[in-house]
Amino acid sequence: MTDQPYQGYDGYDGYDPYRQQPAPQGWPQQQPYDDPQAAQPYTQQWQGQTWETQVQPPVAPPTEETAYMPSQGAGAAYGGYQEPGWGGTQAPAHAQTPAPAQAPAQTPPTDGSEPGYGPATVAGNARITDAQRARLEGRSPIIEPGVQPAGLTALLGLLLAGAAAIGPYALVVPLVALQAVTAAGWFRLNGMWPARQGIALAFAGALTADVALLASGRTPAAILGTLGVWVLLALVLQLRSHADPDERMYGLMATVASAALAIVASGYLASHGDAVTVGAASVAVAVLVRALPLPTPASVAASLLAAAGAGALAGALTGLGSAGALLGAGAAVCALIGHRVASYDYPSRFVHFTAGVALPLAAAAPAVYLLGRALV
């Protein structure tokens, strides 16, 4: 024991908590932090070897399925550094990694087998319709109803012709079916589907015209009166709509046109029975010939000649005689106009089986009435 203060051993002069301790052997010299809160007493601070924190380029998969990649060791994925004591040898930091494979640029084919891809855009390319593509390629966007719609038109025309020979009340049955298909087909032809209110309104107008004709002794004034009332009714209903002005005008025109076609088809009921028989039979033959795979001018000429022949034959059976040929040709002209309207601008299959079936017969009704009154 001595009165001198304890000096420690080996140069240790006592414990000083605020004195920086020397770094242990094998560790790098500790550097003080600039942050005053980090350099607190009784806080162990060190700096040693750590993992590499820099972003390394991703390792691309081998370009071939049978390529062999030699093992790089556990530290290959961390920039080439390997922790001592993990086994193996230290891989160099500049270890080569396979370069990512370059995707071949998409080029449009030259043989015309498949269309090439357009340039990439942020908003994307708007899809063009079939009709627009046909116009760009120089083709006609018009697709005519095929043989099946023509067969249905011929069947409905023959039903009208046979029912007209029986009587006006028998004629109402196929006529109502024609008016219903006409109302639905016109709305679908204009791209307005489902339009239940407009279809129901047009069909109700056709039924009203039929009832008015039977009640008034089949006077044509019933058709004109019903048409005027239904145009006014469609106008009032569209004014009560909350849609945009353009949409209301478009709906008004479609409703008026559909109702007008369905009501005008009632002209078969106002016509003479022999005229209806000749005209409906002529339309049936004309539509069937028009569906044959012929050039358009030849098909139109052949259908008119066939309709005239069918009208002459039906006129001989009904008592119209040779005047039936003229009536049949006139009805066929109106029927071909309706057939052309139903072929407008890539219509759907539903359009072909509604408007394509009904419009030829509905368009021929005024010709049957006018020519029938003039010839009978």
Side-chain angles (χ1 to χ4, degrees):
M1 299 289 296
T2 176
D3 294 335
Q4 298 295 329
Y6 178 69
Q7 299 293 332
Y9 60 91
D10 294 336
Y12 182 74
D13 54 355
Y15 175 75
D16 187 2
Y18 297 97
R19 180 179 179 182
Q20 183 178 0
Q21 301 297 329
Q25 187 176 359
W27 296 93
Q29 181 67 28
Q30 173 69 27
Q31 298 295 333
Y33 286 88
D34 294 335
D35 190 0
Q37 296 181 358
Q40 295 295 336
Y42 306 102
T43 302
Q44 185 178 7
Q45 301 174 0
W46 58 11
Q47 182 177 1
Q49 295 176 348
T50 58
W51 302 112
E52 182 66 35
T53 59
Q54 297 180 356
V55 178
Q56 300 296 329
V59 179
T63 58
E64 297 181 1
E65 295 181 357
T66 57
Y68 172 73
M69 296 295 294
S71 177
Q72 298 287 341
Y78 298 95
Y81 175 79
Q82 186 171 357
E83 183 70 16
W86 281 21
T89 59
Q90 181 177 357
H94 58 277
Q96 297 182 357
T97 58
Q102 296 288 337
Q106 181 71 27
T107 58
T110 58
D111 56 353
S113 58
E114 294 182 358
Y117 295 99
T121 59
V122 177
N125 295 327
R127 181 184 181 276
I128 63 175
T129 61
D130 295 335
Q132 293 173 344
R133 183 180 294 107
R135 292 189 183 96
L136 292 176
E137 295 176 357
R139 297 183 289 106
S140 176
I142 303 302
I143 295 180
E144 299 176 352
V147 178
Q148 294 179 353
L152 293 177
T153 303
L155 177 61
L156 188 56
L158 293 178
L159 289 177
L160 288 172
I166 299 175
Y169 289 95
L171 181 60
V172 172
V173 178
L175 180 60
V176 169
L178 172 63
Q179 291 168 336
V181 178
T182 301
W186 184 260
F187 274 94
R188 188 62 186 93
L189 183 63
N190 287 269
M192 301 179 67
W193 184 266
R196 300 179 181 89
Q197 295 180 354
I199 295 173
L201 181 63
F203 183 59
L207 293 181
T208 304
D210 295 341
V211 173
L213 281 171
L214 293 176
S216 62
R218 298 195 297 173
T219 58
I223 298 178
L224 298 178
T226 306
L227 185 58
V229 171
W230 245 251
V231 169
L232 181 61
L233 182 60
L235 179 61
V236 172
L237 291 179
Q238 289 298 326
L239 290 177
R240 292 172 56 88
S241 176
H242 299 285
D244 297 334
D246 295 339
E247 186 176 353
R248 282 188 294 177
M249 180 60 67
Y250 186 62
L252 174 63
M253 299 307 297
T255 304
V256 170
S258 178
L261 287 172
I263 293 173
V264 165
S266 300
Y268 286 111
L269 192 59
S271 303
H272 193 273
D274 293 342
V276 175
T277 301
V278 173
S282 301
V283 170
V285 174
V287 173
L288 282 177
V289 176
R290 185 66 179 86
L292 296 178
L294 296 175
T296 301
S299 177
V300 171
S303 62
L304 291 178
L305 291 176
L313 180 58
L317 296 176
T318 58
L320 284 178
S322 60
L326 180 60
L327 192 152
V333 170
C334 296
L336 292 181
I337 294 175
H339 182 272
R340 176 60 177 80
V341 172
S343 307
Y344 179 74
D345 203 15
Y346 271 92
S348 64
R349 184 178 178 86
F350 188 86
V351 173
H352 280 166
F353 280 91
T354 52
V357 172
L359 284 185
L361 287 169
V368 170
Y369 173 77
L370 295 176
L371 291 177
R373 286 183 59 90
L375 297 175
V376 176

